[in-house]
Amino acid sequence: MSNKGLKICLVLFLFLLVIVSVGMVTLFLTVFKPKDPNIMVQPVGLEHFNLSLLTNLTANVSLPMVITMVNPNFGSFEYPEAMGYVNFHGGIVGEVPIQGEFVPAREQIVVDAWANLMLQKVVTDTRFWADVLSGSLNFTSTAALPGKVEMLKILKLKATVYSTCDFSIDLTSRNVDSKCSAKIKL
Ligand SMILES: *[C@@H]1O[C@H](CO)[C@@H](O)[C@H](O)[C@H]1NC(C)=O
Ligand SMILES: *[C@@H]1O[C@H](CO)[C@@H](O)[C@H](O)[C@H]1NC(C)=O
Ligand SMILES: *[C@@H]1O[C@H](CO)[C@@H](O)[C@H](O)[C@H]1NC(C)=O
Ligand SMILES: *[C@@H]1O[C@H](CO)[C@@H](O)[C@H](O)[C@H]1NC(C)=O
């Protein structure tokens, strides 16, 4: 083949490659449009929580929780370690270190985490005692997990999962109601 023919071949090949890649990304974004993951966060063992811990307000209290993450997508999602935050009436009162994980396509993972609450910040909020009298304490937690989505081992896209959970602790029964919502953004 002549040099010129080779060049035309190469250009055609690159052109095809671009068409195929664009096609795949379009397919991914339309047919396989990423669905929002489903995240559930449940504090555990609150009924055994040792109330004597509350007498030392300068201490941090760690509450164990179980996080379930369901990935409804055809792509896997992988994220490095991140930090979640606990809010009480809009102020940050705690942190939740989150380990990095790999969530396979169309599967769910269950991970343990600890919420480290700064008691002093909760108790010094003027609305704390009013809430205690009303019988429930409400917290919100937020986390952003920047990571990457991978499909068929070839297509890699950056994506971030944003999750927000509302917790309502019933102080008499120590029952915790939690509702989470999560969004994935490419
Ligand atoms: C609660 O903690 C205190 C002090 O750390 C301890 O003496 C007590 O036995 C604990 N109670 C329970 C039920 O774990
Ligand atoms: C309260 O907690 C802090 C930090 O954990 C600790 O240094 C301090 O000794 C504790 N005080 C009491 C009275 O237990
Ligand atoms: C409580 O946690 C905060 C934030 O994680 C940290 O800055 C602080 O030093 C901790 N305090 C104690 C007594 O461990
Ligand atoms: C906490 O949330 C629950 C349910 O959303 C609500 O019924 C309750 O009044 C709230 N409590 C406070 C103290 O805001």
Side-chain angles (χ1 to χ4, degrees):
M1 217 190 300
S2 73
N3 210 352
K4 198 177 167 194
L6 199 66
K7 265 186 196 154
I8 290 175
C9 258
L10 198 66
V11 167
L12 271 180
F13 174 72
L14 285 179
F15 185 66
L16 268 179
L17 200 68
V18 168
I19 297 275
V20 168
S21 327
V22 169
M24 279 188 51
V25 172
T26 312
L27 193 69
F28 177 82
L29 294 177
T30 52
V31 180
F32 300 122
K33 188 178 189 309
K35 298 186 189 78
D36 291 327
N38 192 357
I39 293 177
M40 284 153 282
V41 178
Q42 191 60 39
V44 288
L46 208 62
E47 62 277 16
H48 305 302
F49 182 70
N50 193 336
L51 284 175
S52 68
L53 281 174
L54 296 182
T55 54
N56 187 353
L57 290 182
T58 53
N60 288 339
V61 171
S62 291
L63 288 179
M65 14 199 241
V66 173
I67 304 176
T68 307
M69 205 179 298
V70 183
N71 178 7
N73 291 299
F74 290 101
S76 63
F77 182 64
E78 189 173 16
Y79 57 91
E81 62 178 7
M83 191 63 89
Y85 296 94
V86 181
N87 296 272
F88 182 65
H89 286 294
I92 292 178
V93 297
E95 294 179 338
V96 187
I98 300 168
Q99 285 167 25
E101 293 288 344
F102 175 79
V103 195
R106 300 177 71 79
E107 278 190 35
Q108 73 171 45
I109 59 165
V110 179
V111 292
D112 295 322
W114 293 85
N116 299 317
L117 292 179
M118 292 168 268
L119 274 187
Q120 200 158 21
K121 290 208 171 160
V122 180
V123 175
T124 52
D125 190 297
T126 49
R127 285 154 297 192
F128 174 75
W129 295 107
D131 288 358
V132 167
L133 289 179
S134 82
S136 64
L137 283 177
N138 292 346
F139 294 92
T140 304
S141 78
T142 55
L145 304 172
K148 60 176 196 279
V149 167
E150 189 179 309
M151 280 188 69
L152 311 169
K153 300 244 181 249
I154 34 174
L155 194 60
K156 286 182 193 163
L157 293 173
K158 280 188 181 161
T160 303
V161 168
Y162 297 91
S163 111
T164 304
C165 298
D166 291 316
F167 301 97
S168 182
I169 306 176
D170 184 321
L171 292 174
T172 32
S173 67
R174 294 221 206 157
N175 217 20
V176 186
D177 233 12
S178 67
K179 270 195 208 77
C180 297
S181 67
K183 287 225 163 324
I184 187 164
K185 291 210 176 102
L186 293 180

